[in-house]
Coordinates of all heavy atoms in Angstrom, one line a residue:
K1 N 58.2 -44.4 -43.6 CA 58.0 -44.6 -42.2 C 57.0 -43.6 -41.7 O 56.7 -43.6 -40.5 CB 59.3 -44.5 -41.4 CG 60.2 -45.6 -41.7 CD 61.4 -45.6 -40.8 CE 62.3 -46.8 -41.1 NZ 63.4 -46.8 -40.1
A2 N 56.5 -42.7 -42.5 CA 55.5 -41.7 -42.0 C 54.2 -42.4 -41.6 O 53.8 -43.5 -42.1 CB 55.2 -40.6 -43.0
L3 N 53.5 -41.7 -40.7 CA 52.2 -42.3 -40.2 C 51.2 -42.5 -41.3 O 51.0 -41.6 -42.2 CB 51.6 -41.4 -39.1 CG 52.4 -41.3 -37.8 CD1 51.8 -40.2 -36.9 CD2 52.4 -42.6 -37.1
G4 N 50.6 -43.7 -41.4 CA 49.6 -43.9 -42.4 C 50.0 -44.6 -43.6 O 49.2 -45.2 -44.3
Y5 N 51.3 -44.5 -44.0 CA 51.7 -45.0 -45.3 C 51.6 -46.5 -45.3 O 51.2 -47.1 -46.3 CB 53.2 -44.6 -45.6 CG 53.2 -43.2 -46.2 CD1 53.2 -42.1 -45.4 CD2 53.3 -43.1 -47.6 CE1 53.3 -40.8 -46.0 CE2 53.4 -41.9 -48.2 CZ 53.4 -40.7 -47.4 OH 53.4 -39.5 -48.0
R6 N 52.1 -47.2 -44.2 CA 52.1 -48.6 -44.2 C 50.6 -49.2 -44.3 O 50.3 -50.1 -45.1 CB 52.6 -49.1 -42.8 CG 52.6 -50.6 -42.7 CD 53.2 -51.1 -41.3 NE 54.6 -50.7 -41.3 CZ 55.2 -50.2 -40.2 NH1 54.6 -50.0 -39.1 NH2 56.5 -49.8 -40.3
E7 N 49.7 -48.5 -43.6 CA 48.3 -48.9 -43.6 C 47.7 -48.7 -45.0 O 46.9 -49.6 -45.5 CB 47.5 -48.2 -42.5 CG 48.0 -48.5 -41.1 CD 49.2 -47.7 -40.7 OE1 49.7 -46.9 -41.4 OE2 49.6 -48.0 -39.5
M8 N 48.0 -47.6 -45.6 CA 47.4 -47.3 -46.9 C 48.0 -48.2 -48.0 O 47.3 -48.6 -48.9 CB 47.6 -45.8 -47.3 CG 46.9 -45.4 -48.6 SD 45.1 -45.8 -48.6 CE 44.5 -44.7 -47.3
A9 N 49.3 -48.5 -47.9 CA 49.9 -49.4 -48.8 C 49.3 -50.8 -48.7 O 49.0 -51.4 -49.7 CB 51.4 -49.5 -48.5
A10 N 49.0 -51.2 -47.5 CA 48.3 -52.5 -47.3 C 46.9 -52.5 -48.0 O 46.5 -53.5 -48.7 CB 48.1 -52.9 -45.8
H11 N 46.2 -51.4 -47.9 CA 44.9 -51.3 -48.6 C 45.1 -51.3 -50.1 O 44.4 -52.0 -50.8 CB 44.2 -50.0 -48.2 CG 43.1 -49.6 -49.0 ND1 41.9 -50.4 -49.1 CD2 42.9 -48.6 -49.9 CE1 41.1 -49.9 -49.9 NE2 41.6 -48.8 -50.4
L12 N 46.1 -50.6 -50.6 CA 46.3 -50.5 -52.0 C 46.7 -51.9 -52.6 O 46.4 -52.2 -53.8 CB 47.3 -49.4 -52.4 CG 46.8 -48.0 -52.1 CD1 48.0 -47.0 -52.3 CD2 45.6 -47.6 -52.9
R13 N 47.4 -52.7 -51.8 CA 47.8 -54.0 -52.2 C 46.6 -55.0 -52.1 O 46.8 -56.2 -52.5 CB 49.0 -54.5 -51.4 CG 50.3 -53.8 -51.7 CD 51.5 -54.5 -51.0 NE 51.3 -54.6 -49.6 CZ 51.8 -53.7 -48.7 NH1 52.5 -52.7 -49.2 NH2 51.7 -53.9 -47.4
G14 N 45.5 -54.5 -51.6 CA 44.3 -55.4 -51.5 C 44.4 -56.3 -50.2 O 43.6 -57.2 -50.1
E15 N 45.2 -55.9 -49.3 CA 45.3 -56.7 -48.0 C 44.3 -56.4 -47.0 O 44.0 -57.2 -46.1 CB 46.7 -56.5 -47.4 CG 47.8 -57.0 -48.3 CD 49.2 -56.6 -47.8 OE1 49.3 -56.1 -46.7 OE2 50.2 -56.8 -48.6
C16 N 43.6 -55.2 -47.2 CA 42.5 -54.9 -46.3 C 41.6 -53.9 -47.0 O 42.1 -53.2 -47.9 CB 43.0 -54.3 -45.0 SG 44.0 -52.8 -45.1
D17 N 40.4 -53.7 -46.5 CA 39.5 -52.7 -47.1 C 39.8 -51.4 -46.5 O 40.6 -51.2 -45.5 CB 38.0 -53.1 -46.9 CG 37.6 -53.2 -45.5 OD1 38.4 -52.8 -44.6 OD2 36.5 -53.7 -45.2
L18 N 39.2 -50.3 -47.1 CA 39.6 -48.9 -46.6 C 39.2 -48.7 -45.2 O 40.0 -48.1 -44.4 CB 38.9 -47.9 -47.5 CG 39.2 -46.5 -47.3 CD1 40.7 -46.2 -47.3 CD2 38.5 -45.5 -48.2
P19 N 38.0 -49.1 -44.7 CA 37.7 -48.9 -43.3 C 38.7 -49.6 -42.3 O 39.1 -49.0 -41.3 CB 36.3 -49.5 -43.1 CG 35.7 -49.4 -44.5 CD 36.8 -49.6 -45.4
A20 N 39.2 -50.7 -42.7 CA 40.2 -51.4 -41.8 C 41.5 -50.7 -41.9 O 42.2 -50.5 -40.8 CB 40.4 -52.8 -42.3
A21 N 41.9 -50.1 -43.0 CA 43.1 -49.3 -43.1 C 43.0 -48.1 -42.3 O 43.9 -47.7 -41.6 CB 43.4 -49.0 -44.6
Q22 N 41.8 -47.4 -42.3 CA 41.6 -46.2 -41.6 C 41.7 -46.5 -40.1 O 42.3 -45.7 -39.3 CB 40.3 -45.6 -41.9 CG 40.3 -45.0 -43.3 CD 38.9 -44.6 -43.8 OE1 37.9 -45.2 -43.4 NE2 38.8 -43.5 -44.5
E23 N 41.1 -47.6 -39.6 CA 41.1 -48.0 -38.2 C 42.6 -48.2 -37.8 O 43.0 -47.8 -36.7 CB 40.3 -49.2 -37.9 CG 38.8 -48.9 -37.9 CD 38.4 -47.9 -36.8 OE1 38.9 -48.1 -35.7 OE2 37.6 -47.0 -37.1
A24 N 43.3 -48.9 -38.7 CA 44.7 -49.2 -38.4 C 45.5 -47.9 -38.3 O 46.4 -47.8 -37.4 CB 45.3 -50.2 -39.4
M25 N 45.2 -46.9 -39.2 CA 45.9 -45.6 -39.1 C 45.7 -44.9 -37.8 O 46.6 -44.4 -37.2 CB 45.5 -44.8 -40.3 CG 46.1 -45.1 -41.6 SD 45.5 -43.9 -42.8 CE 44.9 -44.9 -44.1
I26 N 44.4 -44.9 -37.4 CA 44.0 -44.3 -36.1 C 44.8 -45.0 -35.0 O 45.3 -44.3 -34.1 CB 42.5 -44.3 -35.9 CG1 41.8 -43.4 -37.0 CG2 42.1 -43.9 -34.5 CD1 40.3 -43.6 -37.0
R27 N 44.7 -46.3 -34.9 CA 45.4 -47.0 -33.9 C 46.9 -46.8 -33.8 O 47.4 -46.5 -32.7 CB 45.1 -48.5 -34.0 CG 45.6 -49.4 -32.9 CD 45.1 -50.8 -33.0 NE 45.3 -51.4 -34.3 CZ 44.4 -51.7 -35.2 NH1 43.1 -51.4 -34.9 NH2 44.6 -52.2 -36.4
S28 N 47.5 -46.8 -35.0 CA 49.0 -46.6 -35.0 C 49.3 -45.1 -34.6 O 50.4 -44.9 -34.0 CB 49.6 -47.0 -36.3 OG 49.1 -46.2 -37.3
T29 N 48.5 -44.2 -35.0 CA 48.7 -42.8 -34.7 C 48.6 -42.6 -33.2 O 49.4 -41.9 -32.5 CB 47.8 -41.9 -35.4 OG1 48.0 -42.0 -36.8 CG2 48.0 -40.4 -35.1
L30 N 47.6 -43.2 -32.6 CA 47.4 -43.1 -31.1 C 48.5 -43.7 -30.4 O 49.0 -43.2 -29.3 CB 46.1 -43.7 -30.7 CG 44.8 -42.9 -31.1 CD1 43.5 -43.7 -30.8 CD2 44.8 -41.5 -30.5
Q31 N 49.0 -44.9 -30.9 CA 50.2 -45.5 -30.2 C 51.4 -44.7 -30.3 O 52.2 -44.6 -29.4 CB 50.4 -46.9 -30.9 CG 49.3 -47.9 -30.5 CD 49.4 -49.2 -31.4 OE1 50.1 -49.2 -32.4 NE2 48.7 -50.2 -31.0
Y32 N 51.6 -44.0 -31.5 CA 52.8 -43.1 -31.6 C 52.7 -41.9 -30.7 O 53.6 -41.6 -30.0 CB 52.8 -42.6 -33.1 CG 54.0 -41.7 -33.4 CD1 55.3 -42.2 -33.4 CD2 53.8 -40.4 -33.6 CE1 56.4 -41.4 -33.7 CE2 54.9 -39.5 -33.8 CZ 56.1 -40.1 -33.9 OH 57.2 -39.3 -34.2
A33 N 51.5 -41.4 -30.6 CA 51.3 -40.2 -29.6 C 51.6 -40.6 -28.2 O 52.2 -39.9 -27.4 CB 49.9 -39.7 -29.8
K34 N 51.1 -41.8 -27.8 CA 51.4 -42.3 -26.5 C 52.9 -42.5 -26.2 O 53.4 -42.1 -25.2 CB 50.7 -43.7 -26.3 CG 50.8 -44.2 -24.9 CD 50.0 -45.5 -24.7 CE 50.1 -46.0 -23.3 NZ 49.4 -47.2 -23.1
R35 N 53.6 -43.0 -27.2 CA 55.1 -43.1 -27.1 C 55.7 -41.8 -26.9 O 56.7 -41.6 -26.1 CB 55.7 -43.9 -28.3 CG 55.4 -45.4 -28.3 CD 56.2 -46.1 -29.3 NE 56.1 -45.6 -30.6 CZ 55.2 -46.0 -31.5 NH1 54.3 -46.9 -31.2 NH2 55.3 -45.5 -32.7
Q36 N 55.3 -40.8 -27.7 CA 55.8 -39.4 -27.6 C 55.6 -38.9 -26.2 O 56.5 -38.3 -25.6 CB 55.1 -38.5 -28.6 CG 55.6 -38.7 -30.0 CD 55.0 -37.7 -30.9 OE1 53.8 -37.4 -30.8 NE2 55.8 -37.1 -31.8
M37 N 54.4 -39.0 -25.7 CA 54.1 -38.5 -24.3 C 54.9 -39.2 -23.3 O 55.4 -38.5 -22.3 CB 52.6 -38.7 -24.0 CG 51.7 -37.8 -24.8 SD 52.1 -36.0 -24.7 CE 51.8 -35.7 -23.0
T38 N 55.1 -40.5 -23.4 CA 56.0 -41.2 -22.5 C 57.4 -40.6 -22.5 O 58.0 -40.4 -21.5 CB 56.0 -42.7 -22.8 OG1 54.7 -43.2 -22.7 CG2 57.0 -43.5 -21.9
W39 N 57.9 -40.4 -23.7 CA 59.2 -39.8 -23.9 C 59.3 -38.4 -23.3 O 60.2 -38.1 -22.5 CB 59.6 -39.8 -25.3 CG 61.0 -39.3 -25.6 CD1 62.2 -40.0 -25.5 CD2 61.4 -38.0 -25.9 NE1 63.3 -39.2 -25.8 CE2 62.8 -38.0 -26.0 CE3 60.7 -36.8 -26.1 CZ2 63.5 -36.8 -26.4 CZ3 61.5 -35.6 -26.5 CH2 62.8 -35.7 -26.6
F40 N 58.3 -37.5 -23.6 CA 58.3 -36.2 -23.1 C 58.2 -36.1 -21.6 O 58.8 -35.2 -20.9 CB 57.2 -35.3 -23.7 CG 57.5 -34.8 -25.0 CD1 56.8 -35.1 -26.2 CD2 58.6 -33.9 -25.2 CE1 57.1 -34.6 -27.4 CE2 58.9 -33.3 -26.4 CZ 58.2 -33.7 -27.5
R41 N 57.5 -37.0 -20.9 CA 57.4 -37.0 -19.5 C 58.7 -37.2 -18.8 O 59.0 -36.8 -17.7 CB 56.4 -38.1 -19.0 CG 55.0 -37.6 -19.0 CD 54.1 -38.5 -18.3 NE 53.9 -39.8 -18.9 CZ 53.0 -40.0 -19.9 NH1 52.2 -39.0 -20.3 NH2 52.9 -41.2 -20.4
K42 N 59.7 -37.9 -19.5 CA 61.0 -38.2 -18.9 C 61.9 -37.0 -19.1 O 62.9 -36.9 -18.4 CB 61.6 -39.4 -19.6 CG 60.8 -40.7 -19.3 CD 61.4 -41.8 -20.1 CE 60.6 -43.1 -19.9 NZ 61.1 -44.2 -20.7
E43 N 61.6 -36.1 -20.0 CA 62.5 -34.9 -20.2 C 62.2 -33.9 -19.2 O 61.1 -33.4 -19.0 CB 62.2 -34.4 -21.6 CG 62.6 -35.3 -22.7 CD 64.1 -35.5 -22.8 OE1 64.8 -34.5 -22.8 OE2 64.5 -36.7 -22.8
Q44 N 63.3 -33.5 -18.5 CA 63.2 -32.5 -17.4 C 62.9 -31.1 -17.9 O 62.3 -30.3 -17.2 CB 64.5 -32.5 -16.6 CG 64.8 -33.8 -15.9 CD 63.7 -34.2 -14.9 OE1 63.3 -33.4 -14.1 NE2 63.3 -35.5 -14.9
D45 N 63.5 -30.7 -19.1 CA 63.4 -29.3 -19.5 C 62.2 -29.0 -20.5 O 62.2 -28.0 -21.1 CB 64.7 -29.0 -20.2 CG 65.9 -29.0 -19.3 OD1 65.7 -28.7 -18.1 OD2 67.0 -29.3 -19.7
V46 N 61.3 -29.9 -20.6 CA 60.1 -29.7 -21.4 C 59.2 -28.6 -20.8 O 59.0 -28.7 -19.6 CB 59.3 -31.0 -21.7 CG1 58.0 -30.7 -22.4 CG2 60.1 -31.9 -22.5
R47 N 58.8 -27.7 -21.6 CA 57.9 -26.6 -21.1 C 56.6 -26.8 -21.8 O 56.5 -26.7 -23.0 CB 58.5 -25.2 -21.4 CG 57.6 -24.1 -21.2 CD 57.3 -23.9 -19.7 NE 56.8 -22.5 -19.4 CZ 55.5 -22.2 -19.4 NH1 54.6 -23.1 -19.7 NH2 55.1 -21.0 -19.2
W48 N 55.5 -27.0 -21.0 CA 54.2 -27.2 -21.6 C 53.5 -25.9 -21.6 O 53.6 -25.1 -20.6 CB 53.4 -28.2 -20.7 CG 54.0 -29.6 -20.8 CD1 54.9 -30.2 -19.9 CD2 53.9 -30.5 -21.9 NE1 55.2 -31.4 -20.3 CE2 54.7 -31.7 -21.5 CE3 53.2 -30.6 -23.1 CZ2 54.8 -32.8 -22.3 CZ3 53.3 -31.7 -23.9 CH2 54.1 -32.8 -23.5
F49 N 52.7 -25.6 -22.6 CA 51.9 -24.4 -22.7 C 50.5 -24.7 -22.8 O 50.1 -25.7 -23.5 CB 52.3 -23.6 -24.0 CG 53.7 -23.1 -23.9 CD1 54.8 -23.8 -24.4 CD2 54.0 -21.8 -23.4 CE1 56.1 -23.3 -24.4 CE2 55.3 -21.4 -23.3 CZ 56.3 -22.1 -23.8
D50 N 49.7 -24.0 -22.1 CA 48.2 -24.1 -22.2 C 47.8 -23.3 -23.4 O 48.0 -22.1 -23.6 CB 47.6 -23.5 -20.9 CG 46.0 -23.6 -21.0 OD1 45.5 -24.3 -21.8 OD2 45.4 -23.0 -20.1
L51 N 47.2 -24.1 -24.4 CA 46.8 -23.5 -25.6 C 45.3 -23.1 -25.7 O 44.8 -22.9 -26.8 CB 47.2 -24.4 -26.8 CG 48.6 -24.7 -26.9 CD1 48.9 -25.7 -28.1 CD2 49.5 -23.5 -27.0
E52 N 44.7 -23.0 -24.6 CA 43.3 -22.6 -24.5 C 43.2 -21.1 -24.8 O 44.1 -20.3 -24.5 CB 42.7 -22.8 -23.1 CG 42.5 -24.3 -22.8 CD 41.5 -25.0 -23.7 OE1 40.5 -24.4 -24.0 OE2 41.8 -26.2 -24.0
G53 N 42.1 -20.7 -25.4 CA 41.9 -19.3 -25.7 C 42.4 -18.9 -27.1 O 42.7 -19.8 -28.0
P54 N 42.5 -17.6 -27.4 CA 42.9 -17.2 -28.8 C 44.3 -17.7 -29.1 O 45.2 -17.7 -28.3 CB 42.8 -15.7 -28.7 CG 42.1 -15.3 -27.4 CD 42.2 -16.5 -26.5
A55 N 44.4 -18.0 -30.4 CA 45.7 -18.5 -30.9 C 46.8 -17.4 -30.7 O 47.9 -17.7 -30.4 CB 45.6 -18.9 -32.3
S56 N 46.4 -16.1 -30.9 CA 47.4 -15.1 -30.8 C 47.9 -15.0 -29.4 O 49.1 -14.7 -29.2 CB 46.8 -13.7 -31.2 OG 45.6 -13.4 -30.3
A57 N 47.1 -15.2 -28.3 CA 47.6 -15.2 -27.0 C 48.6 -16.3 -26.7 O 49.6 -16.2 -26.1 CB 46.5 -15.3 -26.0
S58 N 48.3 -17.5 -27.2 CA 49.2 -18.7 -27.1 C 50.5 -18.4 -27.8 O 51.6 -18.7 -27.3 CB 48.5 -20.0 -27.6 OG 47.4 -20.3 -26.9
A59 N 50.4 -17.9 -29.0 CA 51.6 -17.6 -29.8 C 52.5 -16.6 -29.0 O 53.7 -16.7 -29.0 CB 51.2 -17.1 -31.2
R60 N 51.9 -15.6 -28.4 CA 52.6 -14.6 -27.7 C 53.3 -15.2 -26.5 O 54.5 -14.9 -26.2 CB 51.7 -13.5 -27.3 CG 52.4 -12.3 -26.6 CD 51.5 -11.1 -26.4 NE 50.1 -11.3 -26.2 CZ 49.1 -11.3 -27.1 NH1 49.4 -11.1 -28.4 NH2 47.8 -11.5 -26.8
R61 N 52.6 -16.1 -25.7 CA 53.3 -16.7 -24.6 C 54.4 -17.6 -25.0 O 55.5 -17.6 -24.4 CB 52.2 -17.6 -23.8 CG 51.3 -16.8 -23.0 CD 50.5 -17.7 -22.0 NE 49.7 -18.7 -22.7 CZ 48.5 -18.6 -23.2 NH1 47.9 -17.4 -23.1 NH2 47.9 -19.6 -23.8
I62 N 54.3 -18.3 -26.1 CA 55.3 -19.2 -26.6 C 56.5 -18.3 -27.1 O 57.7 -18.6 -26.8 CB 54.8 -20.1 -27.7 CG1 53.8 -21.1 -27.1 CG2 56.0 -20.9 -28.4 CD1 53.1 -21.9 -28.1
G63 N 56.2 -17.3 -27.8 CA 57.2 -16.4 -28.3 C 58.0 -15.7 -27.2 O 59.2 -15.6 -27.3
D64 N 57.3 -15.3 -26.2 CA 58.0 -14.7 -25.0 C 58.9 -15.7 -24.4 O 60.1 -15.4 -24.0 CB 57.0 -14.2 -24.0 CG 56.2 -13.0 -24.5 OD1 56.6 -12.4 -25.5 OD2 55.1 -12.7 -23.8
Y65 N 58.5 -16.9 -24.2 CA 59.3 -18.0 -23.6 C 60.5 -18.2 -24.4 O 61.6 -18.3 -23.9 CB 58.5 -19.2 -23.4 CG 59.3 -20.4 -22.8 CD1 59.5 -20.5 -21.4 CD2 60.0 -21.3 -23.6 CE1 60.3 -21.4 -20.9 CE2 60.8 -22.3 -23.1 CZ 60.9 -22.4 -21.7 OH 61.7 -23.3 -21.2
V66 N 60.3 -18.4 -25.7 CA 61.5 -18.7 -26.6 C 62.5 -17.5 -26.6 O 63.7 -17.7 -26.5 CB 61.0 -18.9 -28.1 CG1 62.2 -18.9 -29.0 CG2 60.2 -20.2 -28.1
A67 N 62.0 -16.3 -26.6 CA 62.9 -15.1 -26.6 C 63.7 -15.1 -25.3 O 64.9 -14.7 -25.3 CB 62.1 -13.8 -26.8
E68 N 63.0 -15.4 -24.2 CA 63.7 -15.4 -22.9 C 64.7 -16.5 -22.7 O 65.8 -16.3 -22.2 CB 62.7 -15.4 -21.8 CG 63.2 -15.2 -20.4 CD 62.2 -15.2 -19.3 OE1 61.0 -14.8 -19.6 OE2 62.5 -15.5 -18.2
H69 N 64.3 -17.7 -23.0 CA 65.1 -18.9 -22.7 C 65.9 -19.4 -23.8 O 67.1 -19.7 -23.6 CB 64.2 -20.0 -22.2 CG 63.5 -19.7 -20.9 ND1 62.3 -19.0 -20.8 CD2 63.9 -19.9 -19.6 CE1 62.0 -18.8 -19.6 NE2 62.9 -19.4 -18.8
V70 N 65.4 -19.5 -25.0 CA 66.2 -20.1 -26.1 C 67.1 -19.0 -26.7 O 68.3 -19.3 -27.0 CB 65.2 -20.6 -27.2 CG1 66.0 -21.1 -28.4 CG2 64.4 -21.7 -26.6
G71 N 66.6 -17.8 -26.8 CA 67.5 -16.7 -27.4 C 68.7 -16.5 -26.5 O 69.8 -16.3 -27.0
S72 N 68.5 -16.5 -25.2 CA 69.7 -16.2 -24.3 C 70.6 -17.4 -24.3 O 71.8 -17.2 -24.2 CB 69.2 -16.0 -22.9 OG 68.5 -17.1 -22.4
A73 N 70.2 -18.6 -24.6 CA 71.0 -19.8 -24.6 C 71.9 -19.8 -25.8 O 73.0 -20.3 -25.8 CB 70.2 -21.1 -24.5
S74 N 71.4 -19.2 -26.9 CA 72.2 -19.2 -28.1 C 73.2 -18.0 -28.2 O 73.9 -17.8 -29.2 CB 71.3 -19.2 -29.3 OG 70.6 -18.0 -29.4
G75 N 73.1 -17.2 -27.2 CA 74.0 -16.0 -27.2 C 73.5 -14.8 -27.9 O 74.2 -13.8 -28.1
R76 N 72.2 -14.9 -28.4 CA 71.6 -13.8 -29.1 C 70.8 -12.9 -28.2 O 70.3 -11.9 -28.7 CB 70.8 -14.3 -30.3 CG 71.6 -14.9 -31.4 CD 70.8 -15.4 -32.5 NE 70.3 -16.7 -32.1 CZ 69.1 -17.2 -32.5 NH1 68.3 -16.5 -33.2 NH2 68.7 -18.4 -32.1
G77 N 70.5 -13.3 -27.0 CA 69.6 -12.5 -26.3 C 70.0 -12.2 -25.0 O 70.0 -12.2 -23.9

């Protein structure tokens, strides 16, 4: 059920050429991402992070958030 397997299997069975399989993979991946975004928008407790800039700065912001919110919820912080 992983992304791309169905499309690649169709290509290997000779049901479509490689460019068609690649296009189908792209389309199904974009559809999956759209479903995820729809689901996440309904979740009240989702915290979005701006990942612009250096990766170390983003990792620090995420780490700080996890330490403050997730750590305390589990009784460890």
Side-chain angles (χ1 to χ4, degrees):
K1 291 187 178 187
L3 295 173
Y5 276 85
R6 178 180 298 138
E7 296 83 1
M8 188 53 67
H11 168 65
L12 294 174
R13 288 190 303 266
E15 298 171 7
C16 62
D17 61 9
L18 185 57
Q22 290 171 325
E23 286 297 318
M25 282 185 232
I26 291 168
R27 187 174 45 256
S28 64
T29 300
L30 291 173
Q31 290 169 345
Y32 181 73
K34 185 176 179 180
R35 287 192 305 273
Q36 284 183 318
M37 291 305 296
T38 298
W39 184 83
F40 276 118
R41 275 193 291 277
K42 295 176 186 177
E43 293 296 309
Q44 299 295 319
D45 295 329
V46 170
R47 169 67 162 89
W48 296 98
F49 293 92
D50 180 9
L51 300 180
E52 293 293 323
S56 60
S58 297
R60 187 169 32 264
R61 284 193 302 273
I62 294 168
D64 291 346
Y65 178 84
V66 169
E68 183 178 337
H69 293 87
V70 177
S72 62
S74 66
R76 288 181 279 148

